[in-house]
Coordinates of all heavy atoms in Angstrom, one line a residue:
M756 N 0.9 -1.2 0.0 CA 0.0 0.0 0.0 C 0.9 1.2 0.0 O 1.9 1.3 0.7 CB -0.9 0.0 1.2 CG -1.4 1.3 1.6 SD -2.4 1.3 3.1 CE -1.1 1.5 4.3
A757 N 0.5 2.2 -0.8 CA 1.2 3.5 -0.8 C 0.2 4.6 -0.9 O -0.8 4.6 -1.6 CB 2.2 3.5 -2.0
I758 N 0.6 5.7 -0.1 CA -0.2 6.9 -0.2 C 0.7 7.9 -1.1 O 1.8 8.1 -0.7 CB -0.5 7.5 1.2 CG1 -1.2 6.6 2.1 CG2 -1.2 8.9 1.0 CD1 -2.6 6.3 1.6
L759 N 0.1 8.3 -2.2 CA 0.9 9.2 -3.0 C 0.4 10.6 -2.8 O -0.8 10.9 -2.7 CB 0.7 8.8 -4.5 CG 1.2 7.4 -4.8 CD1 1.0 7.1 -6.3 CD2 2.7 7.3 -4.5
V760 N 1.3 11.6 -2.9 CA 0.9 13.0 -2.8 C 0.9 13.6 -4.1 O 2.0 13.6 -4.8 CB 1.9 13.7 -1.8 CG1 1.5 15.2 -1.7 CG2 1.9 13.0 -0.4
D761 N -0.2 14.2 -4.5 CA -0.3 14.8 -5.9 C -0.2 16.3 -5.8 O -0.8 17.0 -6.6 CB -1.7 14.4 -6.5 CG -1.7 13.0 -7.0 OD1 -0.6 12.5 -7.4 OD2 -2.8 12.4 -7.0
L762 N 0.6 16.8 -4.9 CA 0.8 18.2 -4.8 C 1.4 18.8 -6.0 O 1.1 19.9 -6.5 CB 1.7 18.5 -3.6 CG 2.0 20.0 -3.2 CD1 0.7 20.7 -3.1 CD2 2.8 20.1 -2.0
D763 N 2.3 18.1 -6.7 CA 2.9 18.6 -7.9 C 1.9 18.8 -9.0 O 2.0 19.8 -9.8 CB 4.0 17.6 -8.4 CG 3.6 16.2 -8.6 OD1 2.5 15.8 -8.0 OD2 4.3 15.4 -9.3
V764 N 0.9 17.9 -9.0 CA -0.2 18.1 -10.0 C -1.0 19.4 -9.7 O -1.3 20.1 -10.6 CB -1.1 16.9 -10.0 CG1 -2.4 17.1 -10.8 CG2 -0.4 15.6 -10.4
Q765 N -1.3 19.6 -8.4 CA -2.1 20.8 -8.1 C -1.3 22.1 -8.3 O -1.8 23.1 -8.8 CB -2.5 20.7 -6.6 CG -3.4 19.6 -6.2 CD -4.7 19.6 -7.0 OE1 -5.2 20.7 -7.2 NE2 -5.1 18.5 -7.5
L766 N 0.0 22.0 -8.1 CA 0.9 23.2 -8.4 C 0.9 23.5 -9.9 O 0.9 24.6 -10.3 CB 2.3 23.0 -7.8 CG 2.3 23.0 -6.3 CD1 3.8 22.8 -5.8 CD2 1.7 24.2 -5.6
A767 N 1.1 22.4 -10.7 CA 1.2 22.6 -12.1 C -0.1 23.1 -12.7 O -0.1 24.0 -13.6 CB 1.5 21.2 -12.8
R768 N -1.3 22.7 -12.2 CA -2.6 23.1 -12.6 C -2.7 24.6 -12.4 O -3.4 25.3 -13.1 CB -3.7 22.4 -11.9 CG -3.9 21.0 -12.4 CD -5.1 20.4 -11.7 NE -5.3 19.0 -12.2 CZ -5.9 18.1 -11.6 NH1 -6.5 18.3 -10.5 NH2 -6.0 16.9 -12.2
R769 N -2.1 25.1 -11.3 CA -2.2 26.5 -11.0 C -1.0 27.3 -11.4 O -0.9 28.5 -11.1 CB -2.4 26.6 -9.5 CG -3.8 26.1 -9.0 CD -3.8 25.8 -7.6 NE -5.1 25.4 -7.1 CZ -5.6 24.2 -7.2 NH1 -4.8 23.2 -7.8 NH2 -6.8 23.9 -6.8
N770 N 0.0 26.7 -12.1 CA 1.2 27.3 -12.6 C 1.9 28.0 -11.4 O 2.4 29.1 -11.6 CB 0.9 28.3 -13.7 CG 2.1 28.6 -14.6 OD1 3.0 27.8 -14.6 ND2 2.1 29.7 -15.2
L771 N 2.1 27.3 -10.3 CA 2.7 27.8 -9.1 C 4.1 27.1 -8.9 O 4.2 25.9 -9.1 CB 1.9 27.5 -7.8 CG 0.7 28.5 -7.6 CD1 -0.1 27.9 -6.4 CD2 1.2 29.9 -7.3
S772 N 5.1 27.9 -8.6 CA 6.4 27.3 -8.3 C 6.4 26.9 -6.8 O 5.5 27.4 -6.0 CB 7.5 28.4 -8.5 OG 7.4 29.4 -7.5
V773 N 7.3 26.0 -6.5 CA 7.4 25.5 -5.1 C 7.7 26.7 -4.2 O 7.1 26.9 -3.1 CB 8.4 24.4 -4.9 CG1 8.7 24.1 -3.5 CG2 8.0 23.2 -5.7
G774 N 8.6 27.6 -4.6 CA 8.9 28.7 -3.8 C 7.8 29.7 -3.5 O 7.5 30.1 -2.3
A775 N 7.0 30.0 -4.5 CA 5.9 30.9 -4.4 C 4.8 30.3 -3.5 O 4.2 30.9 -2.7 CB 5.3 31.3 -5.7
F776 N 4.6 29.0 -3.8 CA 3.6 28.3 -3.0 C 4.0 28.2 -1.5 O 3.2 28.4 -0.7 CB 3.4 26.9 -3.6 CG 2.4 26.0 -2.8 CD1 1.1 26.4 -2.7 CD2 2.9 24.9 -2.1 CE1 0.2 25.6 -2.0 CE2 2.0 24.1 -1.4 CZ 0.7 24.5 -1.3
A777 N 5.2 27.8 -1.3 CA 5.7 27.7 0.1 C 5.5 29.0 0.9 O 5.1 29.1 2.0 CB 7.2 27.3 0.1
E778 N 5.8 30.1 0.2 CA 5.7 31.4 0.8 C 4.2 31.7 1.1 O 3.8 32.2 2.2 CB 6.2 32.5 -0.1 CG 6.2 33.9 0.6 CD 6.9 34.9 -0.3 OE1 7.8 34.6 -1.0 OE2 6.5 36.1 -0.2
A779 N 3.3 31.4 0.2 CA 1.9 31.6 0.4 C 1.3 30.8 1.5 O 0.4 31.2 2.3 CB 1.1 31.3 -0.9
V780 N 1.8 29.6 1.6 CA 1.3 28.6 2.7 C 2.0 28.9 4.0 O 1.4 28.7 5.0 CB 1.6 27.2 2.2 CG1 1.1 26.2 3.3 CG2 0.8 26.8 1.0
G781 N 3.2 29.4 4.0 CA 3.9 29.6 5.2 C 4.7 28.4 5.7 O 4.9 28.1 6.9
I782 N 5.1 27.6 4.7 CA 5.9 26.3 5.0 C 7.2 26.5 4.2 O 7.2 27.0 3.1 CB 5.1 25.1 4.5 CG1 3.8 25.0 5.2 CG2 5.9 23.8 4.6 CD1 2.9 23.9 4.7
M783 N 8.3 26.0 4.8 CA 9.6 26.0 4.2 C 9.6 25.3 2.9 O 9.0 24.2 2.8 CB 10.6 25.4 5.1 CG 10.8 26.1 6.4 SD 11.4 27.8 6.2 CE 13.1 27.5 5.6
P784 N 10.2 25.8 1.8 CA 10.3 25.2 0.5 C 10.8 23.7 0.6 O 10.3 22.8 -0.1 CB 11.2 26.0 -0.3 CG 11.1 27.4 0.3 CD 10.9 27.1 1.8
A785 N 11.8 23.5 1.5 CA 12.3 22.1 1.7 C 11.2 21.2 2.1 O 11.2 20.0 1.7 CB 13.5 22.1 2.6
N786 N 10.3 21.6 3.0 CA 9.2 20.7 3.5 C 8.2 20.5 2.4 O 7.6 19.4 2.3 CB 8.6 21.3 4.7 CG 9.5 21.3 5.9 OD1 10.4 20.5 6.0 ND2 9.3 22.2 6.8
I787 N 8.0 21.5 1.5 CA 7.1 21.3 0.4 C 7.7 20.3 -0.6 O 7.0 19.4 -1.1 CB 6.8 22.7 -0.3 CG1 6.1 23.7 0.5 CG2 6.1 22.4 -1.6 CD1 4.7 23.3 1.0
A788 N 9.0 20.4 -0.8 CA 9.7 19.4 -1.7 C 9.6 18.0 -1.1 O 9.4 17.1 -1.9 CB 11.1 19.8 -1.9
V789 N 9.7 17.8 0.2 CA 9.6 16.5 0.8 C 8.2 15.9 0.5 O 8.0 14.8 0.2 CB 9.9 16.6 2.3 CG1 9.4 15.3 3.0 CG2 11.3 16.8 2.6
L790 N 7.1 16.8 0.7 CA 5.8 16.3 0.4 C 5.6 16.0 -1.1 O 5.1 15.0 -1.5 CB 4.8 17.4 0.8 CG 4.5 17.6 2.2 CD1 3.6 18.8 2.5 CD2 3.7 16.3 2.8
K791 N 6.1 16.9 -1.9 CA 5.9 16.8 -3.4 C 6.6 15.6 -3.9 O 6.1 15.0 -4.9 CB 6.4 18.1 -4.0 CG 6.1 18.2 -5.5 CD 6.5 19.6 -6.0 CE 7.9 19.7 -6.4 NZ 8.2 19.1 -7.6
N792 N 7.7 15.3 -3.4 CA 8.5 14.2 -3.9 C 8.2 12.8 -3.2 O 8.8 11.8 -3.5 CB 10.0 14.5 -3.8 CG 10.4 15.7 -4.6 OD1 9.9 15.8 -5.7 ND2 11.2 16.5 -4.1
G793 N 7.2 12.8 -2.3 CA 6.7 11.6 -1.7 C 7.7 11.0 -0.7 O 7.6 9.8 -0.4
R794 N 8.5 11.9 -0.1 CA 9.4 11.4 1.0 C 8.9 11.6 2.4 O 9.6 11.2 3.3 CB 10.8 12.1 0.8 CG 11.5 11.7 -0.5 CD 12.9 12.2 -0.6 NE 13.0 13.6 -0.1 CZ 13.2 14.7 -0.9 NH1 13.1 14.5 -2.2 NH2 13.3 15.8 -0.3
A795 N 7.8 12.2 2.6 CA 7.2 12.5 3.9 C 6.8 11.2 4.6 O 6.2 10.3 3.9 CB 6.1 13.4 3.8
K796 N 7.1 11.0 5.8 CA 6.7 9.8 6.6 C 5.5 10.1 7.4 O 4.8 9.2 7.8 CB 7.9 9.4 7.5 CG 9.1 8.9 6.7 CD 8.8 7.7 5.9 CE 10.1 7.3 5.1 NZ 9.8 6.4 4.1
A797 N 5.3 11.4 7.7 CA 4.2 11.8 8.6 C 3.8 13.3 8.2 O 4.7 14.0 7.7 CB 4.5 11.7 10.0
V798 N 2.5 13.6 8.4 CA 2.1 15.0 8.1 C 1.2 15.4 9.2 O 0.2 14.7 9.6 CB 1.3 15.0 6.7 CG1 0.8 16.4 6.4 CG2 2.2 14.5 5.6
R799 N 1.4 16.6 9.7 CA 0.4 17.2 10.7 C -0.8 17.6 10.0 O -0.7 18.1 8.8 CB 1.1 18.3 11.4 CG 2.2 18.0 12.3 CD 2.8 19.3 12.9 NE 4.1 19.0 13.5 CZ 4.2 19.0 14.8 NH1 3.2 19.2 15.6 NH2 5.4 18.7 15.4
F800 N -2.0 17.5 10.6 CA -3.2 18.0 10.0 C -3.2 19.4 9.6 O -3.9 19.9 8.7 CB -4.4 17.7 10.8 CG -4.8 16.2 10.8 CD1 -4.8 15.4 11.9 CD2 -5.3 15.7 9.6 CE1 -5.2 14.1 11.8 CE2 -5.7 14.4 9.5 CZ -5.6 13.6 10.6
T801 N -2.4 20.2 10.3 CA -2.3 21.7 10.0 C -1.7 21.9 8.6 O -2.0 22.9 8.0 CB -1.5 22.4 11.1 OG1 -0.2 21.8 11.2 CG2 -2.2 22.4 12.4
T802 N -0.8 21.0 8.2 CA -0.2 21.1 6.9 C -1.2 21.0 5.7 O -1.3 21.9 4.9 CB 1.0 20.2 6.7 OG1 1.9 20.4 7.8 CG2 1.7 20.3 5.4
P803 N -1.9 19.9 5.6 CA -2.9 19.9 4.5 C -4.0 20.9 4.7 O -4.5 21.4 3.7 CB -3.5 18.4 4.6 CG -3.1 17.9 5.8 CD -1.9 18.6 6.3
D804 N -4.3 21.3 5.9 CA -5.3 22.4 6.1 C -4.7 23.7 5.4 O -5.5 24.3 4.7 CB -5.5 22.6 7.6 CG -6.4 23.8 7.8 OD1 -7.6 23.8 7.3 OD2 -6.0 24.7 8.6
A805 N -3.5 24.0 5.7 CA -2.9 25.2 5.1 C -2.8 25.1 3.6 O -3.1 26.1 2.9 CB -1.5 25.5 5.7
I806 N -2.4 23.9 3.1 CA -2.3 23.7 1.7 C -3.7 23.9 1.0 O -3.8 24.6 0.0 CB -1.7 22.3 1.4 CG1 -0.2 22.3 1.8 CG2 -1.9 22.0 -0.1 CD1 0.4 21.0 1.7
C807 N -4.7 23.2 1.6 CA -6.0 23.3 1.0 C -6.6 24.7 1.0 O -7.3 25.1 0.1 CB -7.0 22.3 1.7 SG -6.6 20.6 1.2
R808 N -6.3 25.4 2.1 CA -6.8 26.8 2.2 C -6.2 27.6 1.1 O -6.8 28.5 0.4 CB -6.4 27.4 3.5 CG -7.3 27.0 4.7 CD -6.8 27.6 6.0 NE -7.4 27.1 7.1 CZ -8.6 27.5 7.6 NH1 -9.2 28.5 7.1 NH2 -9.1 26.9 8.7
T809 N -4.9 27.5 0.8 CA -4.2 28.2 -0.2 C -4.6 27.9 -1.6 O -4.8 28.7 -2.4 CB -2.7 28.0 0.0 OG1 -2.3 28.4 1.3 CG2 -1.9 28.8 -1.0
L810 N -4.8 26.6 -1.8 CA -5.1 26.1 -3.2 C -6.6 26.1 -3.5 O -7.0 25.9 -4.6 CB -4.5 24.7 -3.4 CG -3.0 24.6 -3.4 CD1 -2.6 23.2 -3.7 CD2 -2.4 25.5 -4.5
G811 N -7.4 26.2 -2.4 CA -8.8 26.0 -2.6 C -9.2 24.7 -3.0 O -10.1 24.5 -3.9
C812 N -8.6 23.7 -2.4 CA -8.9 22.3 -2.8 C -9.3 21.4 -1.6 O -9.3 21.9 -0.5 CB -7.7 21.7 -3.5 SG -6.2 21.4 -2.5
Q813 N -9.5 20.2 -1.8 CA -9.9 19.2 -0.8 C -8.7 18.3 -0.5 O -7.9 18.1 -1.4 CB -11.1 18.4 -1.2 CG -12.4 19.1 -1.3 CD -12.8 19.6 0.0 OE1 -12.8 18.9 1.0 NE2 -13.2 20.9 0.1
P814 N -8.5 17.7 0.7 CA -7.4 16.8 1.0 C -7.4 15.7 0.0 O -6.3 15.2 -0.4 CB -7.7 16.3 2.4 CG -8.5 17.4 3.0 CD -9.3 18.0 1.9
G815 N -8.5 15.2 -0.5 CA -8.5 14.1 -1.5 C -7.9 14.6 -2.9 O -7.5 13.7 -3.7
D816 N -7.8 15.9 -3.1 CA -7.1 16.3 -4.3 C -5.6 16.2 -4.2 O -4.9 16.3 -5.1 CB -7.5 17.8 -4.6 CG -8.9 18.0 -4.8 OD1 -9.6 17.1 -5.4 OD2 -9.5 19.1 -4.5
L817 N -5.1 16.1 -2.9 CA -3.7 16.0 -2.6 C -3.2 14.6 -2.4 O -2.0 14.3 -2.7 CB -3.4 16.8 -1.4 CG -3.7 18.3 -1.4 CD1 -3.5 18.9 0.0 CD2 -3.0 19.0 -2.5
L818 N -4.0 13.7 -1.9 CA -3.6 12.4 -1.5 C -4.3 11.3 -2.3 O -5.5 11.5 -2.5 CB -3.8 12.2 0.0 CG -3.2 13.1 1.0 CD1 -3.7 12.9 2.4 CD2 -1.7 13.1 0.9
R819 N -3.6 10.3 -2.6 CA -4.2 9.2 -3.4 C -3.6 7.9 -2.9 O -2.4 7.8 -2.7 CB -3.9 9.4 -4.8 CG -4.4 8.4 -5.8 CD -4.3 8.9 -7.2 NE -3.0 9.5 -7.5 CZ -2.0 8.9 -8.2 NH1 -2.2 7.6 -8.6 NH2 -0.9 9.5 -8.4
W820 N -4.4 6.8 -2.7 CA -3.9 5.5 -2.3 C -3.8 4.6 -3.5 O -4.7 4.6 -4.4 CB -4.9 4.9 -1.3 CG -4.5 3.5 -0.9 CD1 -3.6 3.1 0.0 CD2 -5.0 2.3 -1.5 NE1 -3.5 1.7 0.1 CE2 -4.4 1.2 -0.9 CE3 -6.0 2.0 -2.5 CZ2 -4.7 -0.1 -1.2 CZ3 -6.2 0.7 -2.8 CH2 -5.6 -0.3 -2.1
V821 N -2.7 3.9 -3.6 CA -2.6 2.9 -4.7 C -2.1 1.6 -4.0 O -1.3 1.6 -3.1 CB -1.5 3.3 -5.8 CG1 -2.0 4.5 -6.5 CG2 -0.2 3.6 -5.2
P822 N -2.6 0.5 -4.5 CA -2.2 -0.8 -4.0 C -0.7 -1.1 -4.3 O -0.1 -0.4 -5.2 CB -3.0 -1.8 -4.8 CG -4.1 -1.1 -5.5 CD -3.6 0.3 -5.6
D823 N -0.1 -2.0 -3.6 CA 1.3 -2.3 -3.8 C 1.7 -2.6 -5.2 O 2.7 -2.2 -5.7 CB 1.8 -3.4 -2.9 CG 1.8 -3.0 -1.4 OD1 2.1 -1.8 -1.1 OD2 1.7 -3.9 -0.5
D824 N 0.8 -3.3 -5.9 CA 1.1 -3.7 -7.3 C 1.3 -2.5 -8.2 O 2.0 -2.6 -9.2 CB 0.0 -4.6 -7.8 CG -0.1 -5.9 -7.1 OD1 0.7 -6.2 -6.2 OD2 -1.1 -6.6 -7.3
D825 N 0.7 -1.4 -7.8 CA 0.7 -0.2 -8.7 C 1.8 0.8 -8.3 O 1.9 1.9 -8.9 CB -0.6 0.5 -8.7 CG -1.7 -0.3 -9.3 OD1 -1.4 -1.2 -10.1 OD2 -2.9 0.0 -9.1
T826 N 2.6 0.6 -7.2 CA 3.6 1.6 -6.8 C 4.7 1.7 -7.8 O 5.4 2.7 -7.7 CB 4.1 1.3 -5.4 OG1 4.7 0.0 -5.4 CG2 3.0 1.4 -4.4
D827 N 4.9 0.7 -8.6 CA 6.0 0.9 -9.7 C 5.6 1.9 -10.7 O 6.4 2.5 -11.4 CB 6.3 -0.4 -10.3 CG 6.9 -1.4 -9.4 OD1 7.6 -1.0 -8.5 OD2 6.8 -2.6 -9.6
N828 N 4.3 2.1 -10.9 CA 3.7 3.1 -11.8 C 2.8 4.1 -11.0 O 1.6 3.9 -11.0 CB 3.0 2.4 -12.9 CG 2.5 3.4 -13.9 OD1 2.8 4.6 -13.9 ND2 1.6 2.9 -14.8
P829 N 3.4 5.0 -10.3 CA 2.6 5.9 -9.4 C 1.5 6.7 -10.0 O 0.6 7.1 -9.4 CB 3.6 6.8 -8.7 CG 4.8 6.7 -9.5 CD 4.8 5.4 -10.3
R830 N 1.6 6.9 -11.3 CA 0.5 7.7 -12.0 C -0.6 6.8 -12.6 O -1.4 7.2 -13.3 CB 1.1 8.6 -13.1 CG 2.1 9.5 -12.5 CD 1.3 10.6 -11.8 NE 2.3 11.5 -11.1 CZ 2.1 12.0 -9.9 NH1 1.0 11.7 -9.2 NH2 3.0 12.7 -9.3
A831 N -0.5 5.5 -12.3 CA -1.5 4.6 -12.8 C -2.9 4.8 -12.3 O -3.1 5.4 -11.2 CB -1.1 3.1 -12.5

């Protein structure tokens, strides 16, 4: 089982850079990169709250579950 973070998709849809987005959200760009690149091991609820407030989206727009068989192809 894998939880994938589609933050990069949301940023691309809005034509936002990581730096500009991090400043708008109030999160360090390095922490945004960790989320965007799928390296986060845990997330505080305040983080997706701030992201969703800034992007005007729902948590389900950011997170996606894929079965183990599909983790080799994360965009499947």
